[in-house]
Each structure stands twice: as C-alpha cells, then as structure tokens.
Amino acid sequence: MNNNLIQLALAGVLTAGMSAGALADQPFERPQRTADVEAPMQVAQSDADDDFAEWEQEITPQISDPFERINRGVFWFNDQADRFVIKPVAKGYDWLLPQPVKRGVSNVFDNLFTPVVAVSDLLQGKFQHSAEDVGRFVVNSTVGVVGIFDVATGWGLEKRHEDIGQAFGAWGIGTGPYLVLPILGPSNVRDGVGLVGNYFLQPQHHIADDETRWGVTILGGIDARYRLLDASTVLEQAALDRYAFVRSSYMQYRQNLVEDKDAGQPVPAASFGQ
C-alpha cells in the first residue's frame, strides 16, 4: 500500500475525532496552495474519481456494512465535531508551539503506545520483536526522559506499529461488520474490541489523579489530530463519497497491517488531489 493510502486511512480514523494513539512518525508538512497548482488538480479530478470508483468496486464487496445508515449518521456527526472543534484546536496547537516541543510531545505518546505494540507482538508469537519493544520502552522512558527523546531508534531498537486488533486478525478472527465510532472514527467489531485492550495497556490511562489523566488523554488526542492535518486536508479535497472512500481505505489498510504487508493495491494517487 502506498503512503497516500496509509495517510488517507489514518485521516479517516481522525477525520472527525481525536485518538489517543500516535500513528505517524512525524508531522506532515502542509502543502502550499496557489492558483497555479489548484487548476491542474481540478482538471484531473474527474479521472481520479473514475479511477477510485473502479478501485472501490473491487474492495467494497469484501466489506460487511449492515449498519451503513447509522454509520453515515455517526460519520456526519464526527465530521461536524472535527470541522468546528477538534481541527481548529489542532491548528491552534500547531501555530502556538515550536516544532521541537511538538516533536517531543509526539515522541512521548509514541512511547506510551509501545506496551500495546509489545503485547501485540507477543500475542502473534513475535517474541524477539516483543522483547525489542520492551527494550525500546525502557530506554526511551529512562534515557529518553519519559520518551521526549527517541534514543532507542538510534540504538537500533526499531519502532513498530502493532495493536491488539492486529493480533486478533493474525489469529484468524474476521473483522465483523464495519463500524464508525463516535469521535474515534472508522473501525469494525474486531478492531473495536481491540481498542479496549489498547486502552488498558497504555500507562497514561492508569494515572490515579483524574484531572491529570484526562489532561494527558486530551493532549494525546490533540497531538494525534495535529499529525494528520495535511492528510485530512487531502481527504477534504476529494470530490467523491467520502464515507465510502474512508471505509474502503480503512478496511484495506487494516488488512494489510494484519498480513504484515507494506504494499497492496493502492488507491489511484490522483484521487487524493495530488
């Protein structure tokens, strides 16, 4: 799967909501829009939509969406929440804080998600990877000052993206019906159950003080949404059924993660307005 599809799938997850998980290695740089570049983008749009329609028809039959009517309603709610509250907060965060501070915050939340990665690798029988994940968490939590600095990568401890839903998929458990969760965005029954495991494995959710715990959780959501500002802008430029686009992209993206694929059938690049 190409990077555009990965970005879109991630944008779908947070198109209308905040997520405490950190999914990107670094913030995207927002494109500069000018009249010179917008015109050719628009010329290619109709062909892009045709390409997407063919791609979506091949993917959609594999997706069970018996709750589509409800899902579309939640999708609309999430979109409004993101448009009027969450995205403006993320843009303000981006404008207010210097880049080194934002990178440090992102590193902290990447580090806090590492226990989820370690357990997921363990459940999949990837024992060496799981041990390396634990080592990465220990190094970044100590030498890296609670994860502000990503020391572990420089020491050869690779950053991985695994979660409990992926482990369930590796066991052969099917996705079940497609779901759109309030605020959290696209999911399915299997990954929705996995989110519960993800939640309890992240240390910040076990902070005793309620105000501190909620503050850290909200900051994690803002950080995650900030990282996806450009990806969501790409999604907004697509002149097509965004619900179907996100649904197909998300489900293929998750399938590729379960199968440990770095490449798959890509969405036509022009569909992203690029």
Side-chain angles (χ1 to χ4, degrees):
M1 179 177 298
N2 62 10
N3 290 335
N4 285 332
L5 181 53
I6 292 176
Q7 290 182 12
L8 180 66
L10 298 181
V13 175
L14 291 175
T15 294
M18 297 185 298
S19 170
L23 301 175
D25 290 336
Q26 58 184 348
F28 300 108
E29 294 183 2
R30 279 166 293 292
Q32 299 296 321
R33 298 183 183 178
T34 64
D36 293 337
V37 299
E38 287 182 354
M41 180 194 308
Q42 294 173 356
V43 171
Q45 194 71 60
S46 60
D47 291 340
D49 292 348
D50 291 341
D51 289 341
F52 170 74
E54 295 178 0
W55 175 87
E56 204 269 344
Q57 286 177 359
E58 295 179 8
I59 299 300
T60 299
Q62 305 172 18
I63 301 174
S64 172
D65 191 5
F67 311 116
E68 180 173 352
R69 186 171 182 178
I70 297 174
N71 284 337
R72 283 184 179 272
V74 177
F75 185 88
W76 177 88
F77 168 80
N78 287 349
D79 185 62
Q80 300 307 303
D82 185 68
R83 180 175 303 178
F84 294 110
V85 180
I86 301 167
K87 184 176 180 179
V89 170
K91 293 178 72 172
Y93 171 87
D94 182 27
W95 175 83
L96 182 64
L97 297 181
Q99 184 62 32
V101 174
K102 291 181 291 190
R103 168 49 70 94
V105 171
S106 295
N107 286 344
V108 168
F109 285 103
D110 285 346
N111 188 54
L112 291 172
F113 198 78
T114 305
V116 178
V117 180
V119 172
S120 178
D121 275 333
L122 181 64
L123 293 175
Q124 295 176 69
K126 302 176 182 178
F127 302 117
Q128 181 175 346
H129 285 180
S130 182
E132 292 174 355
D133 297 334
V134 172
R136 178 182 175 84
F137 180 71
V138 171
V139 169
N140 280 347
S141 297
T142 54
V143 182
V145 191
V146 301
I148 294 175
F149 305 103
D150 183 8
V151 178
T153 297
W155 290 10
L157 295 171
E158 179 184 353
K159 177 182 177 181
R160 299 184 177 88
H161 299 292
E162 302 280 346
D163 57 53
I164 304 305
Q166 285 176 246
F168 290 161
W171 292 353
I173 299 176
T175 63
Y178 177 72
L179 300 174
V180 180
L181 303 177
I183 302 301
L184 296 179
S187 186
N188 54 58
V189 172
R190 182 191 67 201
D191 291 344
V193 174
L195 286 175
V196 178
N198 294 348
Y199 177 89
F200 285 106
L201 287 169
Q202 294 177 78
Q204 68 268 33
H205 297 139
H206 299 282
I207 297 174
D209 183 74
D210 290 343
E211 292 184 2
T212 302
R213 184 175 65 254
W214 278 106
V216 172
T217 300
I218 291 172
L219 178 60
I222 294 172
D223 168 68
R225 186 61 182 90
Y226 147 73
R227 301 197 211 189
L228 297 173
L229 283 174
D230 287 346
S232 62
T233 298
V234 168
L235 177 65
E236 290 163 3
Q237 293 172 348
L240 38 80
D241 184 347
R242 292 198 297 148
Y243 172 84
F245 198 22
V246 170
R247 178 183 60 189
S248 299
S249 300
Y250 174 82
M251 294 298 283
Q252 187 185 18
Y253 170 69
R254 291 296 298 177
Q255 183 62 31
N256 282 356
L257 287 180
V258 168
E259 297 175 357
D260 288 330
K261 291 181 179 179
D262 292 326
Q265 185 181 13
V267 174
S271 297
F272 298 90
Q274 297 180 342

